[in-house]
Amino acid sequence: MTGAAVVSGVPWFDDRGAPVNAHGGCLLAVDGRFLLFGEHKTDDENVFCGFSCYSSPDLVHWTFERFALPVQADGLLGPGRVGERVKVLRSPATGRYVLFAHSDSPRYDDPCTVVATSWTPEGPYDVLGALPTPHGPLRRWDIGAFQGADGTGYLLVHEGDVHRLSADFLRVEETVATGVAPGGESPAAFEHEGTFFLLVSQKTSWERNDNHYLTAPSMAGPWTHRGTFAPPGTNTWNSQCSSVFPLPTAHGTVPVLLGDRWSFPHQASAATQVWQPLSVDGDVLSLPEFLPAWDPATAAPVPLRGTAVDVGFDSSARGTTTEVGCRAGRFALVGPTDDRGGYGLVEVLDAAGAVHVSSLVDFHSRSPDVGLRYVSPHLPARPESSGGWTVRLTVTGEAFECFQKDGTRFGSTGCRVAVDTLLELP
Ligand code: GLA
């Protein structure tokens, strides 16, 4: 079922079997490949450990390419800094790739937009410094980037500032809109049939909220508030917008929301991508339905098919485990999440008890949901006589939590892990 599908809200695995570790990022189409750039997170602290670059022929199979921008020896993206919201554009004037990112202190009290450049899309990018503007370096936090059909580059900033970049994209030339989205973070923009869309989240740190959008006839505005694009109360289907990628499909270009379902402190293992095709009708943007799996060639939903094995596990007690047999070479776990959810450890064991796969899964969601929680990587072939695999699920007793810059706590209130069904995938 999900072999050729983009699956949201579950960890993805790369060509090495490691989680695809690229968050808060963006996609670029280069020479028939998709390149994904994002924050390479850790599982314990919030410190810059590089921006990663993965490639894919189809948005489904991902190869780790390299660190597009590794931790620098010192400076704005050196040790002990925060590095977030990496965005990459290619300047048509110079042919160079230009990377933008938010650099900060661990306390988020030294924000700045970094600019870096490379002749090759994968990097390595050379850091030039803080992005210059006519009024000095840009010292703001959340950013996005957008390139118009005419090649013009724009840098988007939280609260809805829109800056037009110079032709080489290495400095801000003019601020074309200011403060059009008060209270907005993680700005993302795209154009569809002559209408410009600006998406922003609210400020709840890494916790999900109802994101909203504005429209305008040009990047300079005037920008009109349009409200939420996902049904209110779904907290944008439990995600935060990071960018929008115009995906060419058999049915024309479909804007795809690249959202993040963050999972602090275990972002490396358990933060997931929420990539959803958006619907546009004139200047109305919507995401009425969450598609657990969809076909990147058509943007159509892909049904989840497999042989269901009853699991019936629901526990919040640290160390509680359950074991289920699985004869397939790949499986999925289906179950509920809500704001009492915690981390579950999923392990795949052979008949001798050796662990072949070990994954951390976050069962927290601010809005309740029932659905796909995990899709395993392909398991090594097993001889028929060996009796298949054992899937072990353990309640870790830990949960997602994060703090807004003013100290407000967000996150889970419990450590619940619940799985209804294991699906043996064909
Ligand atoms: C928001 C921002 C992220 C990050 C977190 C940290 O989610 O959009 O980029 O800064 O807050 O709390």
Side-chain angles (χ1 to χ4, degrees), residues 21 38-52 67 69-72 77-78 80-83 268:
N21 191 342
E39 302 164 23
H40 191 90
K41 299 305 238 184
T42 71
D43 258 347
D44 47 17
E45 53 176 355
N46 184 37
V47 67
F48 178 61
C49 38
F51 295 130
S52 45
F67 281 100
L69 201 163
V71 182
Q72 307 290 287
L77 290 172
R81 293 288 290 183
V82 159

Side-chain angles (χ1 to χ4, degrees), residues 310-395:
D310 185 45
V311 178
F313 181 76
D314 190 341
S315 172
S316 300
R318 176 194 290 263
T320 314
T321 65
T322 191
E323 292 190 350
V324 193
C326 171
R327 303 194 74 91
R330 200 164 174 239
F331 68 92
L333 299 175
V334 178
T337 53
D338 59 22
D339 63 1
R340 298 167 297 157
Y343 290 106
L345 182 67
V346 177
E347 293 168 296
V348 182
L349 293 77
D350 64 20
V355 176
H356 287 251
V357 170
S358 175
S359 293
L360 205 57
V361 175
D362 190 350
F363 287 79
H364 164 76
S365 66
R366 197 178 197 192
S367 302
D369 178 53
V370 179
L372 210 50
R373 305 276 74 101
Y374 180 75
V375 178
S376 77
H378 289 278
L379 305 171
R382 304 278 302 145
E384 197 47 38
S385 58
S386 68
W389 299 99
T390 298
V391 178
R392 182 163 69 200
L393 188 63
T394 306
V395 179

Side-chain angles (χ1 to χ4, degrees), residues 18-97:
V20 173
N21 191 342
H23 307 277
C26 65
L27 267 180
L28 213 61
V30 184
D31 298 333
R33 290 186 311 162
F34 299 103
L35 295 180
L36 168 65
F37 298 87
E39 302 164 23
H40 191 90
K41 299 305 238 184
T42 71
D43 258 347
D44 47 17
E45 53 176 355
N46 184 37
V47 67
F48 178 61
C49 38
F51 295 130
S52 45
C53 175
Y54 292 80
S55 69
S56 173
D58 55 8
L59 299 185
V60 177
H61 302 91
W62 293 97
T63 299
F64 177 74
E65 289 290 332
R66 59 170 301 131
F67 281 100
L69 201 163
V71 182
Q72 307 290 287
D74 49 34
L76 293 170
L77 290 172
R81 293 288 290 183
V82 159
E84 296 180 341
R85 302 223 159 269
V86 54
K87 301 290 172 282
V88 176
L89 301 177
R90 180 171 179 270
S91 157
T94 64
R96 285 210 285 181
Y97 292 88

